[in-house]
Amino acid sequence: GLENVISIRKKIGIRSLFNLLDPLINPSGAKVQVLGVYDPNLTEKMATVLKNLGIQRGLVVHGEETLDEISITGKTKVTEFKEDRVKSYVIEPEDFGMKRGRLVDIQGGTKEQNAKIILEILSDGGGARRDLTVINAAAAFVIAGSAKDFPEGIELANRSIHSGEALNKLRGLIEFTRTEGRFLRDHRQVEA
């Protein structure tokens, strides 16, 4: 239930809604990464840093207003790298048939509110927060090689939520942290 989501969030020390979902949707554990940065001028620099650290494929993103994740409130600058190619481009929610949201529509709240929001999204709830989750999940699918592009990634993310698979994975993660909590960071060190 809800209290489990809250306690897992505490244990892992999660900052944003999407970051909680990241381990659920990046299935490969391979050398791939989606990274958000707070400054659009850093996307290429960070792509180079990640490549030098041995990450083979990645997306570095900067979203208008949401900063360190893909935005549905405006444009997002994306720097994509794989093999030796690095390319930057801009995406907008409308490119994928999504309605542009407002910051107020996607803001989180207390741990309890965020846990409720996550359960609502994964229980197939609609709205701007779901769109935000889906488009960021799509990026993870693209870079993990599960989807060839954003539209396919969005379809995969929607299917994962709609089928209940994403919710089951969250339940599995909650169960794992209940039994294997000793392997997770002590939340007192990571709470902001």
Side-chain angles (χ1 to χ4, degrees):
L2 195 52
E3 64 286 351
N4 296 327
V5 180
I6 294 164
S7 80
I8 184 177
R9 190 184 175 285
K10 266 190 193 157
K11 280 180 182 149
I12 305 179
I14 300 302
R15 256 184 329 89
S16 83
L17 285 178
F18 176 65
N19 285 344
L20 176 55
L21 299 175
D22 186 41
L24 307 181
I25 57 187
N26 193 343
S28 62
K31 295 193 164 189
V32 299
Q33 188 160 0
V34 180
L35 178 72
V37 293
Y38 288 92
D39 180 341
N41 300 314
L42 286 178
T43 62
E44 287 90 358
K45 284 187 185 117
M46 284 310 297
T48 305
V49 168
L50 290 177
K51 279 176 71 173
N52 291 341
L53 288 172
I55 303 289
Q56 289 155 3
R57 296 195 309 270
L59 289 179
V60 185
V61 302
H62 170 83
E64 273 179 8
E65 292 190 315
T66 48
L67 303 177
D68 66 339
E69 58 193 355
I70 295 172
S71 176
I72 60 150
T73 62
K75 296 181 166 121
T76 299
K77 182 184 173 192
V78 179
T79 297
E80 181 179 336
F81 66 90
K82 51 185 167 207
E83 287 92 49
D84 287 327
R85 294 195 311 278
V86 178
K87 62 177 180 176
S88 292
Y89 49 92
V90 172
I91 58 174
E92 299 184 65
E94 292 86 354
D95 297 342
F96 311 110
M98 289 179 172
K99 205 171 128 207
R100 187 169 293 231
R102 299 167 306 156
L103 203 51
V104 67
D105 300 328
I106 57 167
Q107 276 170 334
T110 63
K111 290 185 185 80
E112 289 79 6
Q113 286 164 334
N114 287 351
K116 259 193 196 126
I117 290 164
I118 289 160
L119 287 176
E120 195 178 297
I121 291 166
L122 294 188
S123 303
D124 220 6
R129 289 182 178 122
R130 179 196 172 113
D131 285 349
L132 181 70
T133 302
V134 162
I135 199 163
N136 279 280
F141 282 136
V142 167
I143 220 55
S146 308
K148 68 178 186 302
D149 54 23
F150 269 96
E152 195 178 285
I154 286 168
E155 195 183 312
L156 258 178
N158 275 318
R159 205 181 309 147
S160 175
I161 291 171
H162 191 60
S163 69
E165 186 190 346
L167 188 57
N168 287 337
K169 283 188 176 176
L170 177 62
R171 288 196 177 117
L173 186 61
I174 289 167
E175 196 48 48
F176 172 79
T177 59
R178 194 181 290 135
T179 56
E180 307 298 337
R182 65 188 180 279
F183 296 124
L184 294 170
R185 288 178 291 175
D186 181 345
H187 73 270
R188 280 172 305 217
Q189 295 162 5
V190 289
E191 282 293 291

